[in-house]
Every structure is written in structure tokens, then in C-alpha cells.
Amino acid sequence: MGNIHEECGVFGVYANRPTHVADIVYYGLYALQHRGQESCGITVNDDGIFVSQKGLGLVGEVFTRSSLASFPSGSIAVGHTRYSTTGCASIKNCQPIEVDHQKGKLAIAHNGNLSNASKLRSDLELSGAIFHTSSDTEIIAYLITKERLRTNCIEDAVSHAVELLEGAFSLVIMSARKLICVRDKHGFRPLCYGIMPDGTYTIASESCALDAVGARFVRDVEPGEMIIFSPEGILFRHEHCRSAPAKHCIFEYIYFSRPDSVLDGIAVHGSRVRAGEILAEEHPAKADIVIGVPDSGLDAALGYSRRSGMPYSIGLIKNKYVGRTFIVPDGRMNQVRIKLSAVGEELAGKSVVLIDDSIVRGTTSERIIALLREAGAKEIHMRVTAPPFLFPCYYGTDVNSRDELIALNKTPDEIAKMIGADSLGFFPLSRLHEYVNGLGLCNACFSGEYPTEVKSVTNKNRFERKLSDTVD
Amino acid sequence: MGNIHEECGVFGVYANRPTHVADIVYYGLYALQHRGQESCGITVNDDGIFVSQKGLGLVGEVFTRSSLASFPSGSIAVGHTRYSTTGCASIKNCQPIEVDHQKGKLAIAHNGNLSNASKLRSDLELSGAIFHTSSDTEIIAYLITKERLRTNCIEDAVSHAVELLEGAFSLVIMSARKLICVRDKHGFRPLCYGIMPDGTYTIASESCALDAVGARFVRDVEPGEMIIFSPEGILFRHEHCRSAPAKHCIFEYIYFSRPDSVLDGIAVHGSRVRAGEILAEEHPAKADIVIGVPDSGLDAALGYSRRSGMPYSIGLIKNKYVGRTFIVPDGRMNQVRIKLSAVGEELAGKSVVLIDDSIVRGTTSERIIALLREAGAKEIHMRVTAPPFLFPCYYGTDVNSRDELIALNKTPDEIAKMIGADSLGFFPLSRLHEYVNGLGLCNACFSGEYPTEVKSVTNKNRFERKLSDTVD
Amino acid sequence: MGNIHEECGVFGVYANRPTHVADIVYYGLYALQHRGQESCGITVNDDGIFVSQKGLGLVGEVFTRSSLASFPSGSIAVGHTRYSTTGCASIKNCQPIEVDHQKGKLAIAHNGNLSNASKLRSDLELSGAIFHTSSDTEIIAYLITKERLRTNCIEDAVSHAVELLEGAFSLVIMSARKLICVRDKHGFRPLCYGIMPDGTYTIASESCALDAVGARFVRDVEPGEMIIFSPEGILFRHEHCRSAPAKHCIFEYIYFSRPDSVLDGIAVHGSRVRAGEILAEEHPAKADIVIGVPDSGLDAALGYSRRSGMPYSIGLIKNKYVGRTFIVPDGRMNQVRIKLSAVGEELAGKSVVLIDDSIVRGTTSERIIALLREAGAKEIHMRVTAPPFLFPCYYGTDVNSRDELIALNKTPDEIAKMIGADSLGFFPLSRLHEYVNGLGLCNACFSGEYPTEVKSVTNKNRFERKLSDTVD
Amino acid sequence: MGNIHEECGVFGVYANRPTHVADIVYYGLYALQHRGQESCGITVNDDGIFVSQKGLGLVGEVFTRSSLASFPSGSIAVGHTRYSTTGCASIKNCQPIEVDHQKGKLAIAHNGNLSNASKLRSDLELSGAIFHTSSDTEIIAYLITKERLRTNCIEDAVSHAVELLEGAFSLVIMSARKLICVRDKHGFRPLCYGIMPDGTYTIASESCALDAVGARFVRDVEPGEMIIFSPEGILFRHEHCRSAPAKHCIFEYIYFSRPDSVLDGIAVHGSRVRAGEILAEEHPAKADIVIGVPDSGLDAALGYSRRSGMPYSIGLIKNKYVGRTFIVPDGRMNQVRIKLSAVGEELAGKSVVLIDDSIVRGTTSERIIALLREAGAKEIHMRVTAPPFLFPCYYGTDVNSRDELIALNKTPDEIAKMIGADSLGFFPLSRLHEYVNGLGLCNACFSGEYPTEVKSVTNKNRFERKLSDTVD
């Protein structure tokens, strides 16, 4: 519905013997589907032979019963779901990325965005590198490969390469014999691991994917930490840990992650309930009911209801079949009507507090409010669980173009008027840390305070060159 | 998730001039997708030429942007979504069914199930009829055609044919110049119509589909009523009305219909909230929170919470990507884990009232309860918004095999023990009428009191013959 | 390439025990693919349960390894390849047609065209029949079903029904226990049967399909003959034989059938060689080489060369990959260049006799001649193995619209000028019988002498009604 | 049918203004389809933006009307059809290969095989290169990119890179502004260019593809020559010309190329007719007719017939629908029967000279001869237009495994006995040069005389590593 997209979900499996690892990854990716609906892929390591299937589409579309059955057994596997932030939607940008180098093979799955990608790529090209894709992940692959030539083992190569990367990255890397996961020193993007009853280790972007495969959550990968699963056991390396302050992406809690996930010790559902409570304190309203825009506004609606004492209700229903394949055949139809519908009985004649996670351009909010009015809502007080978006994100989300951000040029009152709300309240920037009980967080998209150096506005297709950029 | 399926959704459009009626039907079917995910189809009437597209799959799969654009403009159209109750899943059973007869053409979309289908079919075959499908709808097509030869107009033919049908049927019938809708005299299945701002009429199984296309709800089609939309205007015929008591299917309110629909004057969401309130009265429990199994248990959880005063909470999250294409690669994995996940923070150490719409075989309930316990729930008091299933349905739903119904051989306490609940309460049969404020209803699946004569247990593939049944 | 199309190929298998009959049909249909590239289908009889797969496209497209493997074993099967002469290209017109009737089941595959279809259909509709398709085959299915109600066995029903049919039909009919083939009394379309080494019987439109499955050719089905394969043995019924003169379609020999087939005792290759010899006698030319337009002109080129003593050569090469899927992206390109190419070395500076099977509109001939001239051919003497088309065909081919037939309004000399040939000779009508050693033949498309009563020009979509034809 | 495969066809277009270049490539690839049926691709240069479509399958399968229409206009394009000799069939090995480097972009289409690929790849990997595919073409891309960093223009980079390559390569390379074609100094694989009436230049593996798009053949690209098409005009560079003797692959004339192509001044059809004449001189036979195995044996059969005076005939028909999608469902069926059929009338009682292009394992010849005998052939004298295969090819064809080559361990008489022929004659190695009027040729597969250094037997998947080869 919204205009902000997460970029990716990563998943890894390390079993101590050959088994149907592809099935486990398939389940894990299903649980991470919300982190990327554009493409997905699985690479299985069958005794050193890498077998991959990748494609554009949802997990349930790319993998069929027969394609899944055609994977060999293996003891290691990685998987990826993707919404592209760097690089356009194309089969060649699908991950895991696989590379062949002098000392072996790698498959890499990446969640995040490098803030120094342009510089790294330029340097590599000057040394003779050629790029097949426009994704950051290929840059990482190159750096690891270069380091691998000088080092004794893949984990040293990864450790050295990681030093060169700035920005957000949660990586799962598979070599012939090892599974490695590593998280940037700020911990922008989540990453955790768990263990299944039979001793198989699983790595995932969110804990919900560990639950999905029946794995017990062990712990989050620490910012800067690298964990190596190999036949020799598990090795934890901390040379990059605590070298920088934690900067967990606050939008993971506000919108991206699933409410049943626990990220860096903070349960997402709970953080949203808390956000609703804070909104009730900061922007009280006198109304008959509190409703949330499904799905991401529901938890905060519960919090607002609890703190304010006004009854929680179900005022909007989401059509669960509307997905990527939904077509808007012509302009005459109002697609918000198909995606959401109002429950007239709960709304007629009522004054309503409406909770949503964010306002980007305002058009969707405007249509939702019109829907509620049509169903008889008397007053509508909109409360938003995020502060206004004002700055682009360079760490792997899709808040890029400043021109479309409604909050740039309008006050909350002006926005309220524009979208037809009787009142409008945004979550206060000053209390964002309460979402996460004081953990270090990145709120650059609201505050403009970037944890790393960022040079200029980039856009999603920055590596797609036009004739004017080239010589030959 | 469950084991009970609705059979079909029907939709019709009558515009007063050629327009992109297929687009309107597409939107309408999207809103009725929950009534049948097995196949769907649209037939457009382009000045007497019928153009159809039908296929196995969801609306979003069968129709692509280009296939939808390839429909001609037309002034009438019908659409259908299907879960088969009679006739196996097959492209040839897709509806609308089209027929060519001596005096013209028909396209028929049907929701319901005839209880005298076997007899009707046998009689027709003896008179030389051949059947291409195993669906009831072809029987209806034959009867209308036969009557059409003796009558002056299609509406008389439909009226006569309808006299021969017993059981549940909500029909939308398109001829060269007319759109006709008719509902059986008991009104088992819902049917209503509305009008769009430009004067286009739309007919739908549920009011939510009128909302989806921006049509204003006019009213329900009365049990036994036939409405004819034609260039001559709208004609209402009531010769079959009030000839039998209303017998609205109670399961439409309990589970099938969307909560934002209003059926025969009763808002579905409201009826479910009321059911939750009644459960709180009949089966009180002392607990910390009330949660519902999404999506159909949420409204009643709200009602239980309101009546009991115990706080409503969100304890289970549904994976919105799990649909028809989800594969269970092998038996090792627990698929309930992928479909549902528990929100640990809300559940840990809590005593929980859990609301679901029904228990069929009990296995799903057992797994959900295990999931909640794993997440730390201390006590689980399950409350079910339906009475125990005890009898097969002959009117278009999928409650057929008595062998699998857990309630047949077990008391509620035994079931509670089996599924791991601390207590279990079913909705009382005696108060079912409160769901619908006293409207006449069919509760045969709970009570065994069938509104029409039913002979013997039928099964879904009853018209698929084996060699032993045949002569040649 | 041409504008004349055959309509269908039929194939049947009767094994004495369950086996992979679908595989045999698959091979048989591959050999009959030239008789219809629009759609195909296979129906297998698994102990009375009929399992079908049908689709639009070539045999190699409709059936995949896995779809073919998914057929059950069975002891009887029928298959069909189709180019529609009656009824537009649509999945619902795919054959075999299956019907359920009071006394069992039927699957019917049909090659031919009824000349009294309109009357038969009208009568059936008046008796209450409804039609799902616009094909003749459904009419046949109805008639057999009606008769079956009055008779003791399916073969009697078929025999009675056949009496009502006028025109061309070679039918393969499968019931629960029997496989029946029947050919119209004139024998318009070919039909033969053979036996495989293991005793399995196969029926095919052309003998080449018997060869393809390794079956020994037994004999042609006689005009009017009905053969019944059943567990009781093989029964030959001759009640309709010799009731009318043989009228084998001459165009089967000229163009439709494969050169390696033998039809009614006449080898197709040999008949074409003979035609070339006759052309050499009737239209001699002084040239350096004789070449044929591949594939159907090659045999006659050999005959012309043999009789005239001028050397046979290979002057045109056909691109074997150009098929149904070939796209002509825009008008700029000359598609004949992709389909055919000239062998410059053989042509440069040469005087050429060019043999083709027919001239319909003349445009293709014009382009081929231009291609030869471009490659350096000095003189081009075109010889055509058919007389000029002057009349529509009502027996299952696609020579329908008189407007497009170039020979209607032009003399051979005028046509020669138009297409750029130095001379042009058609096969003489008076010697057509020499193609088939004096067998009775139908040459109505050349002579206008129709073996059955024909009323008026019909067109392919005659059963597609418009609004103006209808009442309701 | 056979066991020897060509690897690739390349095609390029240089128009002087934006136009639908993709359509021209599509036609060109259709004409080159016989050079590779495994995958194909087109890359269009739209003012410096490269747009590609590639896929597994035939040209007619990979490109649909709508996919072709979705290409932008452009002034340059390259296309490729592929049968893999290096690298397994996989979407990632599809060509054209595209690379992004510091100074621009490249798309490369390659026909041939490097004989020093292993060494080149190893050196590149040691310098930090990573490989995404297992194809030689990626090695070439790397080398050009590396050189490009040190040079002023792409053509200098290509010129330097080419110095490092050993073996066979005909390359078409597209940069942002230029189209470059280059052929190895031995001229193993063919390459030529032509001009369309509107001044558009086209480059193709074979002249037949120039004819297909209506381009006038200008001339062959010389061995070692590089031609650069750019806005500045056409530049011919000859620094690598005449540095080595011409070594045209003789198998292009024997089998690979289309008979209507002219390669390096020699018409393929003519060379095959000549081969037939030579076989008649070297291995005369007394027979009634001469027939060829279609399609590649037909021209030589004509030559044998002409020289011997024995009549040419058509004895075998090829099923034109049997292609990549043909399935052999089980072992019971003889697939040669589907692919080829015998024309009984021409063969019965006859003594036959049968011409085929080669014998690899002998099994196909055995089955063809059995087919002819079954059709009544009395004597069969097989003549083969190639000498016996004795050595692997390292220059881009598929004659690899010495174990399967029947001629390695058997004399012609032993082979004749094995395949059931009455006599067998191979083309004499000593007269191979007569095929091509004395041009320099490579006949290493027959003679073992390799024009370049070759180390050891390689196999097709040599770059697919197993665990045992790796460290990590």
C-alpha cells in the first residue's frame, strides 16, 4: 500500500549432514516474503557443487513442487528475497549472487545498501573488474575475492573486505565448506540465528523465520560480528564489534519487520503497541473508537486504545488476495476500494481515531479517509506511528525522492486538511528511542543525521549508464 | 486453513451502453475471491457475441493485464469464482457455463447446490441429453433450455425451470439482451444488487463486491425473487416468493462471508461480534487477554472482550503470502508454523481466551494451541463461534464426510483434552438465531434439520462414473 | 505457406490390457501433426474413467514429459489434431469431445465436415438440445446419444446415427469398453488400421502414423464400414458400405497427406511423381533444371524431371524452424525470405521449371519467383500439380471464400504475368483420375461437381450467432 | 539426429539512425537457428542503454510478439543463438554477454572455442577476477576490459585482447557507439557482412542470414580482420591478418552450415554436390536409385546421382515437427521412426545408394538402414560425405569423447556389418580440399593435425568445480 519498501530478506542453513536444505530455506523465505516481493532465490551446496534457482516473483511463484524437489540434498544453503533498492528488477540481479574465483566458490545473499558503493565500484573498475549487474552485492563479491587471493581462508577474506564497506549490510555467505554471516558495525539491518531440534543452524533476517522452520532462536548477530559455521564447529569473530555506535534502523520497528519478530532484543509488536500508547499521550483525541489500517497499524491501535481507554475496533478490512498481480485496468476504478473496505456497522455515526504507520505522498491516506466517511464516520483523527519523512535513506530502503514527500512542504495541519482528516498527529522525533527502549538507532530519514558519510542523492538505477556517460 | 469451503461467488453487470464491463467484473470477482479460489471466469456480451475467459486459479492469476484488455466492450457481463462442491476441479467445469440453443444463447453463473440433482440429471439423460461436465449448473442450463422452447421469453423459461429445482441456488443468467438474477425460495445463498453512479447495475453474492466497484447497495434479492434487467427496464417477478420459509445459511455469517458484507439486512461483522458476546455469556473464562484466530475469529474476539471486559489482544499473525501455491515439501515441516505465528510478547505468562470459527477435525486447533503454549501462554480457553458440526451439508458447502467430524464421537471435554485446551466452549445451537436477529436460517449441519428432502450422502464426484456403472 | 488447410487427424489405440496407451497416441499424433496444428488432445480410458488433456498448440507444446507421464495406464485411447474448419480456434472446441449420457460415456475424434450440419443442429435444438461448442462433432455426439437410448449397444447407436450424417467423416469413438471407427460412405477422408507386434490395434487417418508407432498396416477402413474393437474381439459391420460411389478427396494426394502414406491403396509419393510426369507431358518446357517448392512440390519435380529428362535440382531451401510461432514484427520484412531461400549456385544463369502444389491467391508464388530471379534464374516456368481452384469445399478443407481465388477471374497467362513467371501450366482436370489409378474421387473444388447436396456458402464461424439472430 | 553439434550463430546490426533493430536481429537469428537451438538472445543499444532479452529455447519460443515489441528502437544490436560447447545449458550462460566497466559497456556474442581458455582463466582469477559463468566468452570480456583501461579506444583494446586468444572465435562486439566484428587469424568459424537497401549494415555467421533480412552480401570478414562500424564510418583493421594460414573448419561445409550459404567464397550446396560426385568416383556402386538422409545428405545424393548416372530419388521423409520438445516417453518406442519415415514405393525391391553426412556412434545409421529394409530395399550401399571421426575438436564443435566414436576401433567393413549396410564408403581424407577448391582448412577431427597447441582432452563442463577442487 505504502511507498516505502524494505529491500531484502536473507536466510541460511548449515546442517551437519546432507539433507533437504532447500525445503528449509523455502519455508524461511516464505516467512521473510514481506521483506522483498520482487524476486527470490535459493542456492544449495551439494558437496561443493552449487545448484541455484532464482526468479522474478514471489516465493510461491518461483518455486513449484517439482522445481523444489529437483534441488539436490546438501548440507549448506542460502536464500534471498528481494525488493531492489540498487539495480532495477531483472533476472540477472536476483540473489544469491554466485562467483567462481581462483580458490573456490561463493554464494552471497545481502540485505542492506552500501553508502560508499560508487567509490568502491569505480576503484574496482579501474583495476580491470567487469560488472554483470548493477547491485551492491557484486561489489562485495569482488572485494572478498580480491582479499581471498592474499589470505589463507575465506573468513579472513571476508573480515578484510568488510573493513572497506560503509553503510548497511547483513550478509550470509556460503563457500564450499562454510556458512558465514556478518553484520555491519552499526547493525542497521537485523540478523539472528537459531538452532533446529536436530542441530541444524539457521540464520535469518528476522526471528519470525526461525520460528517458521521450528528453530529455537539463539541470539542476534551482534553489530560487527562475524559467525562461521563449518565442519570444525562454530567460530565467532569480533574484530569489528563495538567499533561504532549501534544504529538500528527504526523503520524496521515502525513498518518493515513482522510484528511477531524480536529484533535486537525488542519485540516488534510490543514496540508498536508502545508507539500507540505514546501517540495517545502526545496527540490525545476524543473519539468513540480506535482503529488501525491493516496490517501495520493494528498493533499501535491496540496501544492507543489501551492508553486512552477508548475501545479498539475493526473498521477496515484488507482484501487478502490483492497482491503483485492485481491489475488496475483503467483509471475509472478506485483501487483503494479493492484493497481495503470499511466495516460500516462499526463506523456509522462514530468519531474515529485512525492509526497508520506513515504518510508518504498522502494520496492513500486521503482515499482511506474518504472510504471511512462514506461508511458514516463522523470525525476522523489520524495518528501516524512515524515522524514525517524528510530525508532520503542511504541504507537500504526506498525513501529516496524528496520531491514526493508530502511533509517537506506542508505542516501537519495543512496535511490534515489535504487528506480530509479532522486532526492529524505524527509520532514525535524526540521519543523515537522509546520504541526500542533506548537502543542506538538510525533515524536519518526523519532527522537527516546520517551515521556514515553520504555524498549526494543517489537513485535506484545509479549504475545504469547512458550514452552520454561513456566513451566508446 | 479450515476444512469447510464455500462453493462460489457470482457477479453480474448490466450497463445501458457498451463499456468495459469486464473490468467491473474483474474488480467484483476480486472482492468475492474468498468464496472460491479454484477457478474463475468472465463472460462478456458484445452485442450478442459472448466472449469468455475462464481458468483454474485465482482471479489475479487467470486474468492478466493483456487478457483483460482483450475483452471487447459490452453492455452485459457475468463472472464467477468457484470452489467445487459438485464436480472435480477441471477447466471444463469452470463457470460461467455457456450454452447455445435454438432460440439464442445463455451464460449462467451459479452459487449453491441442488438437493435433487441426481434425479434431474437422470431424467434429462433419459430424454437424450448429453452432459459435458459434472456440475449442477449444466442441469440448470438444460432445464431452462427445454422450457425456453415452450415459452415466449427467457424469463418465463427461467421461472418454469426454477420450479423444478430443489436446494440452494443464487443464479446470474445472461441472454443476448438481458441479465437475470434469481434466488431459491429459501434464500440459502446470499444475492444482492446495486447501482453505480453512471446507472450501471451490478449483482453480487455479497455486498462487499458492490462496494468494491463503487456501486451503491440497493437491496438483497428476496428469496424466490427473479429480477430481469433489459433494454425495456427492470422487471421484478415474485411468483416464487414467500412460498417457503427463509432458510439463510448460518455459516455465511459464521465463516464464509466477508465481515464488511451485509447479507439480508444483517452486517456480518456485527453478527460475529454478537457471537463473541454470546460466547462470553455462555462460556465465561477468567483470563488475561482475548485473542482471535485470524481472520475469521477476530470480530468475535472483539465481542468476547467487550462483553467480558477482558482486554482484546493480537496473539496470532497470519502470513499473508501463504495461499494456494504454498507447498509442503515433506512431512517434517509443520505447515501451521508458516501460516500462523504467535506474538510472544503478548502471550508469555498469560492466560488466554482463544476464539476460532469452527473445529472440524481438530488437528489445526491442536497445532495452534501448541504454538501458543510454545510462546509461553499459561492457560488456553478455546471458544468456538459455531456449534459442533454433526451433519453433512447438501446446499453448497463442503461439510460432507461424517467420518472426519471430530464432534461426532467426542464430548467438548474430550475434544478440549485432545487439542490441548484448558477449556472449550461451543456456540449454543439454541442461540444461533441471535446471529441474525431472528431471521429464518438453515442450521442443518449442526442440527440435522434439513429444509428440503435429502436422500442419501452424496459426494463431490458423484457424477464421475467408473466402468462398473456403464454398459458399453 | 499455402492457404489451404486440412482439418484434422484422428488416432485410436485398442490394447488388450492396461498399458501406456497415451504414449502411443502421442507418437501417432506427432506423425499426423501436418493435418492440424491448431490444437490437439488425448483421452485415455482407464477402466471406464476417461482422463483427457487437450490444448491449443502443437503436440510438442501441449504435452510435456510430465503431463504425458501423468496419464494413467489404460487399454483404450483416442487422439486428435485439429485445424478448425467449423468452429473458431478455442479451447472448448478441442477434441476428443467427451460426453456423459444415460448409458455411459463417449469420447469422439472427428475428421471431416458435415454438409447437412445446419439442419441437424437446428432439429436437435428444437428438441431441447443445448450446444457448448460450434463444432460438427457435438452434433454427431448428440445423434449417437439419442440413438443409444433406443438401442441395445453403442455400435447400433453409431450405425443409426451415421445414417443421418451427410458429408465427410472419419470417426474414432471410444466408449467404456469399446473402440469404434467409422468412415462415411463416400470415403472422403482417409482412415486405416494396423496392428502392433504385441497385438495392440491402432487406427489412424494416414498410414504414416501406423509406421510411426511400429504398427503393421492391415488395411484401409472401407467407405461406409464400421469396425468395433472390444473385449469380445473385432467386429466388422458393412451395412453402409457400397451404398454410394467412392469419392476420395483428391487434395489428400495433391497436398494434405504425407508422401510416405498410402491411402486407399495409392501411395501418395507415387501419385505425386505421376502428377509431375503428367505435367511434363501436358506442359513441356525447355529448361536447364527442374526444382520443387519444398516440401510438397519435391515429389512432382522428380516426376517432371524423369519424364522430361531434364535434371532434377535443389533450388529452394525451407527454414525448418519457421512454424506457428514465427512472428512478422512489421511490414518492412519479407517473410517469404525467412521461410524459403534460394540456392544461388544452382540457379544463376539457369532456365528453371518450378513445381508447386497449388496457387490460391498468387502472392506467395509471386514472392518465390522474385527470390529465384534475385538468385540469378534466367527463365522460370511454373507448373502446378493441381487444377485451378474455382469452388468452395464443403467436406472439411479450407477452400472457402471465392473472392480470394486468383483463378476465378484470370486466365493462366494472366496469372503467369501477375506472378512474374515466363510460363504457367496447371494440372489438367481431365487427368486427375490418373493420380489415383482410377479410384472414385471428389474434385468439387476444381469442377463444382459436389457428391452431396450443398445449399449455400457456409463459413467457418457459421454457428457463432450475433445479437440480430436471437430473440432473448 | 546426429551427435555432432555446432556451437553458435552470431548476428549484428549497425543502422545509421534509431530503428527497430531487434526485428532485424530476430529474422537473422531465425536464419541461424540451425547453429544453436539451446538458447538465444538479443541486446539492443538504445542511445547507450543496453536492453536485453535472453532465454533457453528456440528463437520462436524465447521471443513473442509482445516481448519483441517491447524492445526500444536503437541504432545497434547484437544477437546470438547457442549450443553450448563450453559451459552447461543455463540461463546465465546465455549470450550476448554484457559487461559494465570503467569506461563503458560491452555486449559480446561469440562463436568458437578457445584452445587456451584454461590458462587464460587461471591467470585472470589469480589477478582477482571473479567469474559468473563457465563460458569462454566471459574470459574474452575480461581481457578486453583489462586492455581497455590502458588504451584510448575500444578497438585498440579488442585488438590487444585478440592477441592473447588461441583457437576459434568469430566475435560481434557492441559498445556504446560502435559495432565491432573480429575473426580469429585462422578463420576457423565463418563471418561475413552485408548491407541493406537503406544502408544498414548487418554481420552474420553465415550469408543465409544476410539473405533472410534482405541484405546484400558484401564480403566475408577475413581471417584476423577486425571491422569497426561507428558514427565516424567503417574502419578495417588488418594487423592480425595473414599472420597464420587459413584453417576453415571443413565440417561447416560437410554439415553445419545451411546449403544456401556461401562461406569464404565457397557455396555450401555446391561443395556438397561435389562431395557426392567424389564419393561416386571413389566408392562406386551398382544400384537402382540414390537417396540422401534429409536434410544434409540430399545435396550430396544429387552429386552422386549426377556423376554415377543412377537416378536420384526421395526415399526418406523427415517429420518437420520433431524438434527440441519431442519426448521419448519410454524405451519401447523407436524414435527414429518418428523422425524419419521411408517411402515404400520408391524403395521396394530396389538396390539403394544411401548418402549421409557422417557416422558417429553408428546407432542412427543402423536404425535408418533397418527402416529402409523394412520398406523393401534389397541392397543398401551407404556413402558418407565425411571421413571417419578419429580426434576430438577443440575449436567449437561437439566431437569430444573418443570413446563413442565408432571409427576408432572398427574398419569400414566392420562398421558396414554392424549397421547392416551391404557396403560402406567414407569420403577420402586426401580429397577433402576439393570440397573448398583448395582453401586452407582444418580437418583435425579426421586427421589429428591441430592448427594450434592443444594440451589435453577437455570436456564441456570443465569449469564446473567439485568440492575436492576447492579450499574454503
Side-chain angles (χ1 to χ4, degrees), chain A residues 47 101 142 148 465 472, chain D residues 101 142 145 148 465 467 472:
Chain A
D47 192 31
H101 60 87
Y142 254 112
R148 183 67 189 87
R465 288 183 229 204
D472 289 320
Chain D
H101 60 86
Y142 253 114
T145 300
R148 183 66 190 87
R465 288 183 230 203
L467 185 53
D472 288 321

Side-chain angles (χ1 to χ4, degrees), chain C residues 410-443:
Chain C
K410 291 196 167 56
T411 65
D413 281 355
E414 286 168 345
I415 299 172
K417 201 163 174 187
M418 209 201 87
I419 63 178
D422 293 291
S423 75
L424 171 63
F426 285 100
F427 193 94
L429 184 59
S430 61
R431 298 186 68 178
L432 267 185
H433 58 94
E434 296 184 41
Y435 253 100
V436 290
N437 285 346
L439 284 187
L441 56 81
C442 173
N443 60 14

